[in-house]
Amino acid sequence: MKRLVMIMLVSLSVSGCAFNSVLISYPSQIAPIKAALNRPTTSPIYHQLDDKINGADKLLYAQEAGRVAQIGGDFSASKGYYDKAIDAYQAFDEQATLSISDTGAKASSLLINDNVIPYRGPGFERIMLHQYQALNHLFSGDSEAALVEVRRSNQLQSSEQARYQKSMQGVQSMANGTIDAEINKLGQAAGNTTSSFLNAYSYYTTGLLYELLGEANDAFIDYRKAAQITPNNPYLQQDLVRLAKQLSMPQADDFVRRWGDANPASAGQGQVVLLVERDFVPEKQSFTVPFSIHGNWQTASLATYYPDRSPVRPAQINGLGRRLTAAPLANIDALAITALKEALPAALFRQAARIYAKSEMARRVRSDSKKANNQFDAAALAIQIFNVVTEQPDRRSWLTLPKQAQIARDYVDAGRYAIQLDQGQAQTIDVQSGRTTLIWIIDTGNYTRFYSIII
């Protein structure tokens, strides 16, 4: 019995600062932060995450704090938090061999759950981190720093996929009907999204910055990458038509036949570009997987997403002289679902090893107790309680990301406008002749924030 207690105590102590996610689901920890973002507030609520950024899940909490500050319009604070997250990713990259703490975390996960493994998010989160850092720099007036970040975001779309494929080498495929069915459900829920590493929103942001800063050829390349992922977005189609004509590309006539000509700006007009983000990505849920070990059935918990994705309504932008209807550019929820689908085989492999380790521990405890002819009931009860308490799926993910990104674009006469998202509160923006007004609208469900800059 003493040996059992020591095993459990050591396992829990190795988890260190990740203990919160071991026994308390991550979504429940972030729920109050998301609720606060859905109402007007002047207090810097991101400070509520400060004490967690030095722990094992510092990367995740730094991403959340940076996003919370960004949604609230504190781009300077957001840059600082995002820098910490970027540093954490780089530390993972530079880690040639496992440290003692990592070894302990992975060993401890065999007896507890995946929440004790330090968080390194899926590739699409890292890509969006650099994209959002670029927007921080842009709205702070540093366009050159913004370009550095979007270039990095572009590079990551291929390098993160290569890292993922390398990490999957050696992960054995395991026959399990429950897992196969869950993967099929996730695939159906993700729709046409086949890879979590290809993000049209990131490519479009890169192309937009290139174009606004006078690098039309690079802009065309990234718009085209975005269009390959999201081919039916009419604004993206018009961007390709306009730039193909401007650059005298041979595809220009074909683009015009397919999508219609792009109308140029009239004298005295400026351009308005709108990035619209709606709602929050969904939270991971849990499902039960049955296993048979030593002829006994065991159950384990893994993370999943409910496959029933509710549609996001297209944004209606009023007040620019005519109504603009935004068009979907990227379903971030589909990227998250696809990322989990890609990760499930490795998660199942770890879970099978965990169940086996727990089963072996229980078998040895029963054997020792029978030999000692005492404390059998207490030992069996203790290990059952330990297994139930620690059987928690890893539901960690960047939860303050938007569910969907949409875009709209038009030329309007220079002047001051009071614009609205749908029928919400009006926000004043300025349009200057020959310039571009970039408007970033963040709708968290019950509250909408507008940020604009003239470039």
Side-chain angles (χ1 to χ4, degrees):
M1 184 66 176
K2 290 182 179 179
R3 181 183 175 189
L4 170 63
V5 173
M6 286 299 297
I7 290 173
M8 292 188 292
L9 288 176
V10 169
S11 297
L12 289 173
S13 65
V14 169
S15 67
C17 295
F19 186 78
N20 280 344
S21 295
V22 171
L23 301 179
I24 304 173
S25 75
Y26 181 75
S28 67
Q29 297 177 49
I30 298 298
I33 300 290
K34 291 169 62 180
L37 289 173
N38 254 326
R39 56 180 181 264
T41 177
T42 57
S43 62
I45 56 177
Y46 50 82
H47 284 315
Q48 297 178 31
L49 299 171
D50 284 349
D51 61 341
K52 301 178 185 292
I53 293 177
N54 295 321
D57 288 339
K58 59 185 176 183
L59 189 156
L60 179 55
Y61 287 111
Q63 287 183 160
E64 299 282 20
R67 177 63 175 162
V68 171
Q70 188 173 58
I71 292 174
D74 192 340
F75 302 120
S76 178
S78 180
K79 281 190 288 186
Y81 287 120
Y82 283 161
D83 280 340
K84 291 181 180 180
I86 291 169
D87 289 344
Y89 275 113
Q90 290 174 343
F92 277 112
D93 293 343
E94 296 165 0
Q95 198 170 37
T97 57
L98 289 174
S99 68
I100 294 176
S101 62
D102 287 331
T103 302
K106 291 184 184 299
S108 180
S109 74
L110 283 177
L111 292 180
I112 305 179
N113 56 56
D114 276 3
N115 291 283
V116 303
I117 300 174
Y119 185 82
R120 188 205 189 280
F124 87 92
E125 289 187 5
R126 187 176 187 179
I127 292 164
M128 294 203 70
L129 170 64
H130 285 275
Q131 174 193 340
Y132 278 142
Q133 189 71 303
L135 289 173
N136 274 339
H137 287 302
L138 185 66
F139 278 82
S140 299
D142 191 344
S143 58
E144 289 302 317
L147 272 180
V148 170
E149 293 296 336
V150 293
R151 288 189 181 111
R152 184 60 180 147
S153 176
N154 263 5
Q155 293 167 359
L156 285 168
Q157 302 222 37
S158 58
S159 65
E160 278 295 298
Q161 187 162 21
R163 184 198 66 80
Y164 162 76
Q165 290 170 344
K166 183 178 180 180
S167 71
M168 289 299 294
Q169 293 176 0
V171 174
Q172 300 176 15
S173 177
M174 302 177 63
N176 186 286
T178 302
I179 288 289
D180 293 342
E182 201 65 29
I183 288 176
N184 289 334
K185 288 179 184 178
L186 292 173
Q188 293 172 4
N192 296 327
T193 302
T194 58
S195 171
S196 69
F197 302 97
L198 298 176
N199 186 343
Y201 188 23
S202 294
Y203 278 130
Y204 186 83
T205 302
T206 308
L208 178 62
L209 285 178
Y210 279 138
E211 184 182 5
L212 295 179
L213 297 174
E215 300 183 30
N217 191 68
D218 289 331
F220 179 85
I221 293 171
D222 284 328
Y223 284 154
R224 188 151 197 183
K225 289 177 181 177
Q228 289 171 344
I229 302 169
T230 309
N232 298 320
N233 186 293
Y235 298 104
L236 190 48
Q237 293 169 354
Q238 289 296 291
D239 290 335
L240 289 173
V241 171
R242 186 184 65 258
L243 286 182
K245 292 177 64 177
Q246 178 183 329
L247 296 168
S248 300
M249 290 186 165
Q251 307 100 310
D253 290 340
D254 178 55
F255 286 172
V256 171
R257 282 193 298 270
R258 290 164 61 187
W259 302 320
D261 207 352
N263 296 321
S266 301
Q269 287 189 323
Q271 182 178 218
V272 174
V273 179
L274 298 109
L275 305 177
V276 184
E277 298 180 352
R278 310 213 77 163
D279 300 333
F280 290 117
V281 290
E283 301 172 354
K284 290 179 181 177
Q285 306 298 325
S286 64
F287 72 105
T288 300
V289 185
F291 285 93
S292 177
I293 298 178
H294 300 312
N296 297 316
W297 282 100
Q298 307 278 347
T299 58
S301 295
L302 287 174
T304 189
Y305 286 103
Y306 289 154
D308 186 17
R309 285 175 53 213
S310 57
V312 180
R313 64 191 186 281
Q316 302 291 328
I317 296 94
N318 302 298
L320 289 169
R322 54 186 169 276
R323 173 179 292 182
L324 280 181
T325 300
L329 179 64
N331 292 313
I332 311 303
D333 59 342
L335 294 178
I337 291 169
T338 304
L340 181 60
K341 174 189 168 187
E342 293 165 346
L344 266 184
L348 175 61
F349 189 74
R350 291 191 302 273
Q351 189 66 286
R354 180 178 301 116
I355 291 176
Y356 180 79
K358 288 182 176 181
S359 175
E360 281 296 294
M361 184 172 69
R363 185 181 64 81
R364 290 174 184 174
V365 166
R366 287 194 296 268
S367 177
D368 291 346
S369 298
K370 286 179 180 178
K371 289 178 182 179
N373 198 29
N374 61 7
Q375 293 185 319
F376 172 75
D377 292 337
L381 179 60
I383 201 166
Q384 286 177 2
I385 293 173
F386 176 78
N387 288 344
V388 169
V389 169
T390 59
E391 188 54 44
Q392 301 289 335
D394 184 359
R395 296 173 61 193
R396 294 172 295 178
S397 63
W398 191 356
L399 290 178
T400 48
L401 289 175
K403 183 176 183 179
Q404 187 183 78
Q406 305 175 6
I407 58 171
R409 196 164 183 160
D410 203 2
Y411 294 109
V412 299
D413 294 335
R416 175 162 289 187
Y417 296 86
I419 65 171
Q420 293 174 291
L421 177 66
D422 301 326
Q423 300 301 317
Q425 186 175 358
Q427 177 76 24
T428 301
I429 59 104
D430 292 316
V431 178
Q432 296 180 10
S433 176
R435 305 282 296 278
T436 295
T437 300
L438 175 61
I439 306 170
W440 188 7
I441 303 176
I442 304 175
D443 168 26
T444 53
N446 293 323
Y447 194 74
T448 303
R449 295 167 175 85
F450 295 75
Y451 303 105
S452 65
I453 184 173
I454 297 176
I455 303 172

